[in-house]
Amino acid sequence: MNYGYFDDKNREYVITNPRTPVKWINYIGTLKFGGFVDHTGGALICKGDPSLNRITKYIQQMPSSDFKGETLYLRLKQGENYKLFSPFFVPTLDRYDLYQCHVGPGYNRIISEFYGIRTECTIFVPTDDVREIREIKIINKTDEEIEIDAISVVEYTHFDAIKQFNNADWVPQTMQSRCIREERGLATLIQYAFMRRETDVNFFTSNHPISSFESDRKRFLGDNEYGTWSNPLSLQKKELDSYEAHRGDNIGALLHHLGSLKTGEEKSLITQLGQEQSFEKARSGIDKYRDPDAVKKAFTELNDFWEEFLSGIQVETPDLEMNSMLNIHNPHQCFITKNWSRYLSYYQPGIGTRGIGVRDSCQDVMGVISHIPEESKELLKKMMMIQRTNGSAMHGFNPLTMEGSKGEIGDWSDRPQYYGDDHLWIVLAVTTYLKETGDMEFLEEIIPYYDEKKGDQQLESGTVKDHMKRALNFTRNDKGKHGLPHLGFADWNDTVNLRTGAESLFNTHLYGKDLLEMIELCRYLGDEAGIKLYQTEHNELKDIFNRTSWDGEWYVRYFDSDGTPMGSQKNKNGKIYINAQSWPLISGMATPENAKKALDSLNRLLNTSRGIKVSWPGFDGYDRNKGGITTFPPGTKENGGIFLHTNPWVVIAETIMGNGERAYEYYSQINPVYKNDIIEEYECEPYVYAQNILSDEHPQFGLGRNSWLTGTASWMYQAGIGFILGIRPDYSGLKIDPCIPGKWNGFKVTRKYKNAIYNIEVKNPDNKNKGVYRLEVDGRGISGNIAPIFKDGKIHIITAIIE
Ligand code: GLC
C-alpha cells in the first residue's frame, strides 16, 4: 500500500492518503520563527527557543486523529444545522473525494475535496519573516450555489513548554486573550501569558472580516468540554460567543462568513499566526501580509531561495531514486538538521532540551557547507565558543543564549564528566569548511573559550587554529592503559557509558582522521613542523591500534576500564560493532588485509536487507556498568538496531577500499525512496532519513523511527556526493574520485565551487568501479584527478574517464 508518490519535477512528495501510519511532517521557517507542520495541517510553532518560547500546543503522543495545534473547519448550512468538516481530514475524519498534501521545501500545500468543496491551503513562513501564513482557497465544485463559513483555529500553549505539562493551576491562571477589532470588520486575536503581556504577544488574524470569535476552549467545544474537536458544539450556532478569555485553555477561533459561492466560484482567505512585542508593533506586518500579492511574492521568494540552495549541487545518475534524494530531499533534510539540530520534531518534543549538540551540529554543518558557507561558519564559531580552555568541549549549548550544557552526564556522577569526542568533531568540520571555501583567514579569527564558572572574569580567547590545536592536545594527553584515547562519558555512541579509564576505538579513529586532516592542512600551509608533529602522532597511534585492537576477524570497539575488550569474539553480547570496522579506513589506520576482513565480517554479521546494524548481538538486560545501551531491548536504537547514522560511514569505507558494488548496495538499501513500497513496515516519511530502524533481532524488523533530525542526512549526502560520485573539495581544487557500481556507464554532476560552476561528466566505458584515468578541463587534458580552482564565475566543463 502506498500513501503517496514522489513528484521530482515539482520537488515535492505528494501524500494522497491522510491515514499514514504515523504523522508525516515537514518544516516551515527556521529556529528564529517556525516549527513543523504535519500532513493533516497540525502545527507546532515556536519563536526562538522551542522549550522556552512555544506558541502552539502540539502533543505528539496523542492519537493521530486528535487535534494538534492548528486546524481549519468549513461548514455549510443544512436545514437548521450546519454540516461541519475539516478540509485537513483531522479532526473531523469525514470521507474525502480527494486528499493531497504536497510536501515541498519550506511549505506544505493541502488540497482536498469533501462534499464537492475543494480547498487548497498553502502553509509556510516567509523567508526572513516571523509569521506562519496559511493561504486558503475554497472552490465550489457542486452544482448548486452554497453558503460557506470558514473557521480557523489555533490552540495555544504556555510559552514554557515544560510548565504547560507540569503545572495545571498556575499556567491556566495566567493565559489571557483579547480581540482587537479593526476597520472593515477585520480583527486580530491576541494571546499572552500574563507575565509577557507587555513583551511577547501571540497574534492570530486574517484578511477577511470576522463576525465572531472564540478564545476559550471550553466554550468552543461546549458542554463543559464534553463537546469534542471533531464536533465542537459552538459551531452549530450561527455565531461564536466572542468571548475574551481571562484564564483557562486559550485558543483562537476566527469565524469567517465567506458568503455564497456559485458553482465553480472561488473565495480566498489568508491567516497569520505570529508573535510580537505588542499588537501595535505587529500591525504593519499584519497589514502587509493581508495582501494576497504580498503572500504570493513571499512564496515566490521562498521558492527562489530553494532553487538557489539546491542548484549548488545537482546530479544525474542512472539511479532515479538516488537522484531524487541527492537533488532534493537529502539536501533539504541537511538544511533542516543544520537549522533544527535535535531540537524539535515529531520524535524530539523539544521540551527541556539540552540545546544544540556540538557533535551533532559539527556533522550537520558538513552537509551544508557547500550551499551556505557563511551560515555554516557562524555555527562553527559557536561550537568553538563552548570549547573549554583545556580543549574539550561542553556537550551542547543553547544557540540563543550561548549557555553550555554538559549533556546527560548529570545522572551518572561516577562517570567521567566530559564526552571523549565532541571537541574532535570541530577539527573535522573546520577543515571541511576550509577545503570548500579556501577561507584561510578563518584560521586566524579569535574566538573565546567557554568557562563554566566565569563570573566577571575576562574569558580566555584563541584563534581558530588554537582551538583546533587544543582539541587535539586534549585527546593526545587523555589516553588509557593501551595508549588509546579515553572514552570519557561516551563517544559518538551516547549510550555506551563505561567506567572511568575505558578506552574508545571510535575516539581513536576520529582523532586519527583529524590528524590526517591536520597533516593535509599543514602541507597546504607549508608548515613542516606541524606535518611532522601530526604525522608522528598518527604513526604512533596507528601502531598501537594495530598491536592492540585486532580480534582475529574484526576490530574491537572499546576497552573497558579493566582492559577487557568490548566488540570481541570473547563477548557474549555486542561481539561486533559497526563503527569499529568502518572508521579504521576513514582514519587511515587499518592494514589492507585486516580492513578487508573487517568489512567482510561486518557484511556477514551486521548487514540486513534494511540496513547495517550498529552491533550484534544486542544486550538483553539492564547493566549499569555498560550504561544506556542496556536500557533498550535487543534490536532497537544503539543496542543492535539499525542506527542509520553509522551506515554512510560504511559506504565511505567501502569506497576507500574501492568496492563500488558494496558501497552502492549499502547506499541504496537505506534510500528512503524505496520505503514507499514497504511503508506498512517502515511507517516513517519516505522522503527523509530516519535515525533508527528496528533490526532483525526485534519482532518488528524494518520499523523506522525518529525521522528527520539525524546525522544520517549529512553523512548520506557526503557519502553520495563526495564518495560514491566522488566529487569533493580539496585545498587545491575539486577532486573527481568516483567509486561507482560497474553497471553504470557514467553520470553527470553540476556543482558550484569557489565562485565557478563545474559541469562534470564521468564516463565509465569499461564498466569499472574506480580510478580516473583521464581528466579533461575545458577540453584540455590535465594530470591527476583534481579540477583546478577558477573563481571566475563561469561554467567549466570537466570530463573524467574511468579506465
Ligand atoms: C543521537 C545523538 C547523537 C549520537 C547518536 C548515537 O543521534 O543526537 O549525538 O551520536 O544518537 O548515540
Side-chain angles (χ1 to χ4, degrees):
M1 179 158 182
N2 279 353
Y3 290 86
Y5 61 90
F6 286 85
D7 177 0
D8 286 1
K9 204 168 122 282
N10 290 309
R11 297 197 297 239
E12 289 177 343
Y13 181 86
V14 186
I15 300 167
T16 50
N17 177 350
R19 290 186 181 83
T20 53
V22 286
K23 293 269 171 170
W24 289 356
I25 68 161
N26 189 16
Y27 285 80
I28 56 173
T30 62
L31 197 52
K32 206 163 80 173
F33 181 94
F36 69 77
V37 47
D38 72 39
H39 70 285
T40 58
L44 203 171
I45 305 294
C46 316
K47 186 175 182 187
D49 189 326
S51 59
L52 296 179
N53 196 9
R54 189 170 292 220
I55 298 173
T56 62
K57 190 194 280 176
Y58 189 109
I59 308 176
Q60 285 91 333
Q61 291 91 338
M62 299 308 278
S64 292
S65 55
D66 234 58
F67 175 86
K68 289 189 168 113
E70 281 183 73
T71 198
L72 171 70
Y73 295 96
L74 299 181
R75 66 178 194 178
L76 314 167
K77 189 91 186 137
Q78 276 183 351
E80 283 305 290
N81 295 327
Y82 288 97
K83 172 71 213 153
L84 181 78
F85 69 94
S86 170
F88 299 157
F89 185 60
V90 170
T92 59
L93 312 179
D94 286 59
R95 218 184 61 78
Y96 55 86
D97 296 315
L98 175 82
Y99 192 89
Q100 294 182 340
C101 177
H102 295 244
V103 179
Y107 69 90
N108 265 8
R109 175 177 289 135
I110 297 174
I111 301 178
S112 68
E113 290 182 17
F114 290 83
Y115 308 110
I117 296 160
R118 181 181 173 91
T119 307
E120 300 179 6
C121 176
T122 306
I123 306 168
F124 72 105
V125 173
T127 329
D128 293 329
D129 207 314
V130 289
R131 71 197 63 238
E132 185 206 17
I133 302 267
R134 293 191 174 213
E135 189 197 37
I136 303 156
K137 290 184 184 150
I138 293 158
I139 302 141
N140 177 9
K141 292 188 78 178
T142 69
D143 299 334
E144 296 158 21
E145 183 163 345
I146 46 177
E147 287 254 336
I148 298 189
D149 293 341
I151 304 99
S152 302
V153 180
V154 38
E155 183 174 20
Y156 295 107
T157 171
H158 191 263
F159 60 82
D160 185 334
I162 213 164
K163 294 239 165 67
Q164 176 65 48
F165 296 110
N166 71 11
N167 194 321
D169 179 29
W170 177 73
V171 166
Q173 301 291 18
T174 72
M175 299 287 271
Q176 302 195 326
S177 292
R178 295 287 174 267
C179 177
I180 295 169
R181 293 279 184 185
E182 300 165 79
E183 65 283 4
R184 290 178 283 117
L186 299 171
T188 297
L189 290 183
I190 60 167
Q191 193 282 333
Y192 43 82
F194 185 68
M195 65 190 276
R196 293 213 168 162
R197 187 180 59 188
E198 267 38 86
T199 52
D200 302 280
V201 170
N202 298 323
F203 62 84
F204 186 45
T205 192
S206 69
N207 67 343
H208 192 281
I210 64 153
S211 54
S212 56
F213 66 89
E214 186 51 80
S215 61
D216 183 281
R217 190 178 74 185
K218 201 172 187 172
R219 287 170 182 259
F220 184 72
L221 297 180
D223 198 15
N224 287 335
E225 291 207 343
Y226 290 91
T228 61
W229 284 114
S230 61
N231 186 21
L233 299 177
S234 67
L235 291 182
Q236 287 306 329
K237 296 186 295 184
K238 184 161 188 289
E239 294 298 340
L240 297 168
D241 287 353
S242 295
Y243 177 79
E244 297 183 316
H246 302 284
R247 61 171 307 285
D249 293 301
N250 283 203
I251 63 165
L254 300 171
L255 174 53
H256 309 95
H257 295 302
L258 298 181
S260 68
L261 275 76
K262 299 204 182 66
T263 300
E265 197 180 339
E266 174 184 313
K267 292 253 165 125
S268 63
L269 178 69
I270 296 162
T271 64
Q272 300 178 46
L273 174 67
Q275 187 189 80
E276 263 295 354
Q277 192 195 338
S278 63
F279 171 71
E280 286 67 37
K281 283 256 158 62
R283 191 163 192 148
S284 65
I286 288 176
D287 284 345
K288 173 177 170 187
Y289 287 102
R290 278 181 172 152
D291 176 1
D293 286 340
V295 169
K296 201 168 160 201
K297 184 160 170 276
F299 191 66
T300 306
E301 280 166 7
L302 180 73
N303 282 324
D304 290 349
F305 167 83
W306 280 103
E307 181 64 37
E308 172 67 18
F309 183 91
L310 295 173
S311 70
I313 303 179
Q314 286 288 298
V315 312
E316 207 184 307
T317 79
D319 178 342
L320 298 182
E321 286 75 17
M322 187 176 192
N323 296 349
S324 178
M325 281 314 281
L326 290 180
N327 290 335
I328 307 164
H329 306 287
N330 197 174
H332 177 212
Q333 189 179 0
C334 287
F335 180 78
I336 296 302
T337 56
K338 184 264 168 195
N339 269 327
W340 292 93
S341 182
R342 308 296 172 266
Y343 249 129
L344 192 73
S345 76
Y346 197 67
Y347 305 88
Q348 316 253 13
I351 294 176
T353 62
R354 59 189 159 111
I356 280 186
V358 172
R359 170 206 295 148
D360 293 330
S361 285
C362 280
Q363 296 172 79
D364 295 342
V365 154
M366 290 167 74
V368 294
I369 284 177
S370 49
H371 299 80
I372 42 171
E374 281 305 314
E375 272 185 53
S376 302
K377 179 171 156 178
E378 289 314 306
L379 191 50
L380 285 174
K381 283 194 218 167
K382 287 188 171 175
M383 250 101 69
M384 283 180 261
M385 281 163 72
I386 60 145
Q387 196 180 355
R388 300 180 183 97
T389 48
N390 71 4
S392 72
M394 301 292 284
H395 189 53
F397 62 103
N398 183 315
L400 306 164
T401 61
M402 286 314 294
E403 195 184 323
S405 87
K406 279 178 147 186
E408 318 283 307
I409 304 178
D411 305 342
W412 302 78
S413 56
D414 58 332
R415 300 291 150 99
Q417 296 293 298
Y418 68 97
Y419 287 73
D421 67 321
D422 281 332
H423 53 288
L424 294 173
W425 290 107
I426 294 175
V427 178
L428 191 55
V430 170
T431 50
T432 305
Y433 169 80
L434 295 176
K435 284 181 184 170
E436 180 71 45
T437 60
D439 173 14
M440 292 298 155
E441 282 163 24
F442 185 46
L443 286 170
E444 304 307 325
E445 204 160 310
I446 292 173
I447 295 174
Y449 284 95
Y450 192 80
D451 186 346
E452 283 159 83
K453 305 185 197 76
K454 115 176 134 57
D456 291 335
Q457 288 164 31
Q458 181 68 31
L459 287 181
E460 197 175 332
S461 295
T463 60
V464 167
K465 209 195 266 168
D466 188 53
H467 279 262
M468 293 162 86
K469 281 185 183 164
R470 288 199 200 189
L472 296 169
N473 256 327
F474 181 85
T475 298
R476 178 179 304 129
N477 298 320
D478 184 39
K479 294 180 184 150
K481 283 197 183 80
H482 296 88
L484 297 167
H486 277 137
L487 171 66
F489 176 70
D491 58 26
W492 170 86
N493 188 329
D494 268 337
T495 68
V496 175
N497 317 113
L498 306 176
R499 289 157 294 186
T500 303
E503 293 162 290
S504 152
L505 273 303
F506 185 88
N507 290 345
T508 302
H509 295 301
L510 180 56
Y511 178 48
K513 171 68 177 159
D514 281 355
L515 293 169
L516 291 183
E517 290 295 331
M518 290 306 283
I519 294 165
E520 259 189 84
L521 177 61
C522 290
R523 208 168 273 145
Y524 178 72
L525 297 173
D527 173 359
E528 292 301 327
I531 300 177
K532 192 155 168 244
L533 173 76
Y534 298 121
Q535 188 66 65
T536 308
E537 177 71 0
H538 192 270
N539 291 347
E540 282 172 18
L541 197 66
K542 181 173 174 181
D543 187 50
I544 297 172
F545 163 66
N546 280 301
R547 273 192 285 111
T548 56
S549 308
W550 182 246
D551 193 57
E553 296 290 321
W554 57 79
Y555 294 108
V556 301
R557 175 66 170 83
Y558 307 86
F559 288 105
D560 208 341
S561 52
D562 59 5
T564 51
M566 268 176 79
S568 154
Q569 322 240 18
K570 296 190 195 102
N571 301 125
K572 181 164 162 277
N573 303 92
K575 282 177 185 294
I576 174 169
Y577 286 78
I578 189 171
N579 293 339
Q581 321 316 322
S582 56
W583 270 83
L585 279 125
I586 298 171
S587 72
M589 290 195 192
T591 61
E593 190 197 335
N594 286 352
K596 182 170 182 319
K597 264 196 199 166
L599 290 177
D600 286 348
S601 299
L602 176 157
N603 183 262
R604 190 162 40 87
L605 298 172
L606 296 179
N607 192 34
T608 78
S609 58
R610 304 300 189 244
I612 313 166
K613 295 186 275 194
V614 67
S615 59
W616 172 83
F619 290 96
D620 196 8
Y622 181 60
D623 175 356
R624 195 174 190 281
N625 288 335
K626 301 272 182 308
I629 189 168
T630 62
T631 61
F632 316 119
T636 63
K637 298 225 357 148
E638 285 100 327
N639 187 21
I642 300 166
F643 205 93
L644 280 185
H645 189 155
T646 60
N647 281 223
W649 292 330
V650 186
V651 173
I652 292 171
E654 290 289 0
T655 64
I656 295 171
M657 287 293 283
N659 197 344
E661 305 303 331
R662 254 204 210 149
Y664 178 67
E665 180 195 332
Y666 290 154
Y667 179 91
S668 301
Q669 73 186 7
I670 63 164
N671 185 340
V673 177
Y674 292 113
K675 306 290 183 196
N676 210 37
D677 295 327
I678 51 166
I679 210 76
E680 296 292 356
E681 168 193 295
Y682 178 70
E683 294 201 350
C684 290
E685 298 92 331
Y687 42 90
V688 288
Y689 290 100
Q691 183 212 59
N692 68 84
I693 298 178
L694 295 173
S695 83
D696 54 6
E697 279 199 74
H698 192 281
Q700 282 166 281
F701 177 39
L703 178 75
R705 272 301 177 271
N706 206 345
S707 52
W708 281 99
L709 301 184
T710 160
T712 315
S714 167
W715 282 105
M716 280 304 278
Y717 195 57
Q718 294 181 67
I721 303 281
F723 290 88
I724 293 182
L725 305 185
I727 315 291
R728 54 181 191 273
D730 214 327
Y731 290 108
S732 57
L734 195 59
K735 196 178 246 179
I736 320 284
D737 181 25
C739 184
I740 57 176
K743 67 179 182 201
W744 284 12
N745 295 326
F747 63 89
K748 292 180 185 164
V749 175
T750 305
R751 193 198 200 279
K752 290 187 189 155
Y753 175 59
K754 292 188 177 152
N755 190 32
I757 295 172
Y758 292 65
N759 274 354
I760 303 160
E761 177 165 15
V762 174
K763 297 180 179 166
N764 189 22
D766 294 335
N767 293 97
K768 298 225 166 122
N769 293 129
K770 196 178 169 80
V772 167
Y773 174 77
R774 202 144 42 90
L775 195 66
E776 274 178 20
V777 177
D778 295 326
R780 269 185 294 131
I782 61 164
S783 62
N785 64 350
I786 297 185
I789 296 167
F790 292 107
K791 288 193 188 162
D792 57 2
K794 295 196 179 135
I795 298 176
H796 296 275
I797 311 290
I798 318 288
T799 313
I801 317 252
I802 304 179
E803 255 177 32

